[in-house]
Amino acid sequence: MKKLQLICASAIVLTLAGSCSDGNEKAVRDFATDFATKVQNHQTDSLAAIYPGIEAADSIALTLVADSITVTPADSAGVYNVTLGNGASIVVRTSEDGAMTITSSKGIFKYPASTIAFAEKVGAFKQTPSPTDTQLAEIVGNVASLSADLFDKYVAARKNAVTNAGFTVTKDPQFGMDTGTGYFTLVNNTDQPVKADEYEITWLDTYMGGGMDTSSNRITKGIDIPAKGSARYESMFSWHAGSSIKAITMKIPSREQFFENYTPTGNEYAEYVKDMPKGGSANLGDGPFALAGKLGGKHAIHMTINRGLKDGTYYYDKYGPSNALTLTVKNFDKKTGKITLEEQNNKGQVTGSFTGVLTPTSFNGDMTAYTGKTLPFTLEVSK
């Protein structure tokens, strides 16, 4: 059951004055009052029964004021627009047998201001400037998937931002103890400059002499490279010794750092959803998912979410799979990819949870330990 955060008047006392031109308006008004009471009393099962769309909400917030409810017949027979005050409203449909349901609402579903601000910046409300609550829930879910997609693509591109185009000799050694010179050409494949401290170079140094070959690794920082440009990394060698580039490792900022420096174009949302099936985000399928990555930026872990997306396991690489912990899926929205997995130890005790967004290529979010400490995690899907 979803958590409902409710901000309500300490007591809902509605003084409803005036006569009704339509006999049903009194019944609709009573129904709306009952709805408000159920909100106040956290009767979520009853709320879902009269308003199925409420299950899409992460949280609900109402501030009701006495005399704030008004009922206005809509253009369609048996449909009424009901205002609840403070910008909140619902649409009530009545059937021939007198049963009533809520078909939509506005201003009841609530999300963090930062979430709504980011949705606006990526253009999520361009086509739907005044969404209903269920439309807002879908938009927010899609924006969460979009955010994960933006970060995933950035990380993928970042990993290969700098590549080695090879070594060029500028001077050959002339005798045994002489040294030759040359340079490695490092290429920046992005449209942003790359600074020397944004990546590291792992070198393989080799030496041949005395009937024995030796090799060792060393790490240095890179060199500045202009956007879509290249730079020369000077190097020396001899007949007996030389160095080659073994690996170029980019430093990947955290998700928070990435979005702190990300400047939206305003068209990201439209581009992301244009090929999306109506009413849902990217198809996640039914699993299984094998994932690997880091917890807290330094603890390497492997995770498996089993077929059916009901349970799984994970383990820390340094302890190995024989020390895997059990995971149980507690909440999962296949439409948005939002998922919570509860962790249990070998005694069945709950020891933490993973909450984040699962996409076809990644699972990113926060892990909360039983102590209350929270660590971010970034996992990639290997299959």
Side-chain angles (χ1 to χ4, degrees):
M1 185 177 294
K2 296 184 178 181
K3 180 182 178 182
L4 299 180
Q5 298 173 340
L6 300 128
I7 307 169
C8 299
S10 59
I12 300 176
V13 180
L14 302 177
T15 304
L16 304 169
S19 60
C20 293
S21 57
D22 184 338
N24 284 336
E25 290 186 24
K26 172 65 166 62
V28 171
R29 191 176 278 114
D30 291 342
F31 176 78
T33 303
D34 184 61
F35 172 76
T37 302
K38 286 182 168 62
V39 169
Q40 184 184 27
N41 294 332
H42 298 208
Q43 295 173 273
T44 53
D45 292 340
S46 296
L47 290 174
I50 60 177
Y51 183 21
I54 207 167
E55 292 185 343
D58 277 349
S59 63
I60 295 175
L62 289 173
T63 303
L64 296 173
V65 181
D67 301 326
S68 65
I69 293 181
T70 63
V71 178
T72 305
D75 293 337
S76 301
V79 178
Y80 297 84
N81 297 316
V82 181
T83 63
L84 302 177
N86 297 293
S89 64
I90 57 176
V91 175
V92 177
R93 180 181 294 277
T94 63
S95 61
E96 292 183 357
D97 62 2
M100 297 184 192
T101 56
I102 298 172
T103 59
S104 70
S105 66
K106 280 188 177 183
I108 293 177
F109 293 10
K110 299 298 178 181
Y111 300 93
S114 58
T115 299
I116 300 302
F118 184 76
E120 291 175 342
K121 290 177 181 178
V122 296
F125 300 115
K126 284 184 176 179
Q127 295 180 335
T128 312
S130 181
T132 65
D133 282 334
T134 50
Q135 289 174 327
L136 179 61
E138 181 175 342
I139 288 171
V140 168
N142 288 338
V143 167
S145 297
L146 166 62
S147 298
D149 187 64
L150 288 172
F151 184 68
D152 288 347
K153 287 180 177 178
Y154 168 77
V155 170
R158 182 76 175 173
K159 285 181 177 179
N160 299 308
V162 176
T163 53
N164 173 24
F167 185 72
T168 301
V169 175
T170 56
K171 174 183 172 295
D172 280 315
Q174 300 301 310
F175 50 88
M177 298 302 293
D178 192 18
T179 58
T181 59
Y183 59 87
F184 290 90
T185 300
L186 302 184
V187 178
N188 178 2
N189 302 300
T190 74
D191 57 5
Q192 297 293 324
V194 174
K195 300 296 184 183
D197 58 0
E198 292 185 74
Y199 65 104
E200 293 178 336
I201 301 175
T202 302
W203 299 88
L204 177 63
D205 298 328
T206 58
Y207 175 77
M208 297 176 290
M212 173 180 260
D213 296 346
T214 61
S215 63
S216 61
N217 292 331
R218 62 186 169 89
I219 296 176
T220 66
K221 72 176 184 179
I223 54 177
D224 293 348
I225 314 177
K228 290 293 184 181
S230 63
R232 296 180 177 184
Y233 201 112
E234 305 291 339
S235 181
M236 294 190 301
F237 64 98
S238 71
W239 287 355
H240 300 285
S243 301
S244 61
I245 293 179
K246 185 177 181 179
I248 297 175
T249 305
M250 299 299 301
K251 296 179 180 178
I252 307 297
S254 67
R255 176 188 294 268
E256 292 74 18
Q257 291 171 328
F258 168 70
F259 283 108
E260 281 177 5
N261 297 297
Y262 180 74
T263 303
T265 65
N267 297 315
E268 290 92 342
Y269 187 82
E271 287 295 315
Y272 183 72
V273 302
K274 68 179 181 181
D275 298 323
M276 186 183 294
K278 184 174 178 59
S281 60
N283 182 21
L284 287 169
D286 197 39
F289 287 86
L291 307 111
K294 291 189 176 180
L295 173 64
K298 59 181 179 179
H299 306 293
I301 65 172
H302 276 76
M303 180 182 292
T304 298
I305 303 177
N306 296 325
R307 183 173 298 281
L309 306 180
K310 300 295 184 183
D311 53 24
T313 59
Y314 91 100
Y315 64 88
Y316 291 82
D317 287 15
K318 68 177 181 178
Y319 298 129
S322 61
N323 291 292
L325 296 168
T326 300
L327 295 172
T328 301
V329 176
K330 304 304 292 184
N331 292 297
F332 178 50
D333 187 343
K334 198 168 186 177
K335 180 172 63 176
T336 64
K338 292 181 179 179
I339 189 170
T340 297
L341 299 104
E342 197 173 76
E343 167 197 309
Q344 297 97 31
N345 61 18
N346 56 11
K347 296 180 180 180
Q349 299 169 319
V350 176
T351 51
S353 63
F354 291 80
T355 300
V357 175
L358 178 66
T359 78
T361 59
S362 69
F363 180 30
N364 301 308
D366 293 301
M367 184 270 194
T368 302
Y370 73 96
T371 59
K373 183 178 181 179
T374 299
L375 293 173
F377 64 86
T378 300
L379 306 178
E380 292 184 358
V381 175
S382 58
K383 66 178 181 178

